[in-house]
Amino acid sequence: GEGDKRCQDLIVSQSNACLSYLGRRLGLWPREGDYIDLAYCETFLAEVMDLRNQMVAFAYRGDKSFEKTKEDGLALLRNVQNKNGSLQKFELWFERKDVRATAPFLLDYCTAPDFHLIEILSQYLVLLDWCGGQFGLLKTEFEQNFPKVNKYFVSFTQLPEMEAYFKSDLHAGTPFNNKGARWGSIPARDLKHGESFAFSKGQDYDWGKEEEQ
């Protein structure tokens, strides 16, 4: 139809606009007229963007040395986990909602903001792992302080529809950030405690390459 023809030439920019568009197109958005759930979805997208903007600022700005990157990473983790941070807001939301293993979503059904939140939580959990060292003390502390958020993340990633992706190279085999970032610019599968988690000049770049014809 005419709508499909228009979509062929459509370019959508800005993360939340892309997520909102895809949510509407793929049935991952509140039904028409449900203004309350729509307000929730728009709030979730904005709140997750706050988490993302803090992660982006950390990953792309500042001294690239291992020591300074870790210092700034720990500061970021303290900030997002404080009583006024975004993670606390989601924890309180899930306490109110009572996340169930059968429906591990922000609302009672899956919406586009779920994918945005799960993706950025993945980055923060890797940062917790990287900063916390081989004994995983920071990750354990996170699980204790944010049990509802942690349950949501674990339950969502174990959904049959999502499990294959999270076990695939599409998840752990590609970097969070581009090569210019001081953190997360190599795949998560290559993370090593006590070492830089950034791309180094001259390093083999074998992820995301097109297959040779």
Side-chain angles (χ1 to χ4, degrees):
E2 182 62 30
D4 292 330
K5 291 179 181 177
R6 291 180 62 206
C7 288
Q8 292 176 8
D9 298 323
L10 178 66
I11 298 175
V12 182
S13 60
Q14 299 295 332
S15 298
N16 283 345
C18 294
L19 286 160
S20 299
Y21 172 76
L22 290 172
R24 291 182 173 95
R25 290 281 295 183
L26 300 174
L28 296 166
W29 202 249
R31 62 183 180 275
E32 187 174 353
D34 192 338
Y35 300 114
I36 293 177
D37 277 6
L38 178 59
Y40 282 142
C41 275
E42 291 174 339
T43 302
F44 295 146
L45 287 176
E47 198 65 53
V48 177
M49 187 56 70
D50 287 346
L51 278 170
R52 177 173 299 283
N53 286 340
Q54 292 178 79
M55 175 62 78
V56 168
F58 156 69
Y60 286 94
R61 301 174 191 168
D63 190 318
K64 293 187 176 183
S65 68
F66 170 78
E67 292 77 11
K68 182 58 176 173
T69 301
K70 185 172 181 179
E71 177 185 330
D72 291 347
L74 288 168
L76 169 61
L77 291 171
R78 286 194 296 271
N79 186 51
V80 300
Q81 293 183 91
N82 67 34
K83 65 179 182 179
N84 296 315
S86 293
L87 288 179
Q88 180 65 18
K89 294 177 187 178
F90 281 113
E91 183 70 15
L92 292 173
W93 168 258
F94 287 130
E95 285 181 3
R96 171 186 171 185
K97 178 183 178 293
D98 186 21
V99 180
R100 302 178 301 279
T102 53
F105 309 123
L106 285 160
L107 296 175
D108 289 333
Y109 51 94
C110 190
T111 56
D114 284 300
F115 294 92
H116 200 190
L117 179 54
I118 290 294
E119 191 274 331
I120 197 62
L121 282 176
S122 296
Q123 293 195 40
Y124 276 98
L125 288 170
V126 171
L127 182 60
L128 280 164
D129 186 21
W130 185 74
C131 287
Q134 60 179 324
F135 299 110
L137 298 179
L138 291 180
K139 199 168 183 181
T140 299
E141 186 176 301
F142 164 81
E143 293 168 355
Q144 294 172 345
N145 292 337
F146 302 96
K148 298 292 186 182
V149 172
N150 184 62
K151 180 180 178 181
Y152 163 76
F153 180 84
V154 172
S155 298
F156 189 94
T157 57
Q158 291 178 348
L159 288 169
E161 299 88 345
M162 299 303 303
E163 195 171 10
Y165 165 74
F166 280 99
K167 289 181 177 179
S168 75
D169 234 24
L170 289 172
H171 174 61
T174 54
F176 295 133
N177 301 305
N178 70 37
K179 292 192 290 183
R182 63 172 175 165
W183 186 88
S185 49
I186 59 175
R189 67 185 179 200
D190 296 335
L191 179 146
K192 293 182 177 63
H193 296 115
E195 295 185 15
S196 171
F197 187 43
F199 180 83
S200 301
K201 187 175 181 180
Q203 180 179 351
D204 287 338
Y205 187 84
D206 60 355
W207 55 90
K209 281 186 176 181
E210 294 183 3
E211 293 184 5
E212 295 183 2
Q213 302 295 322

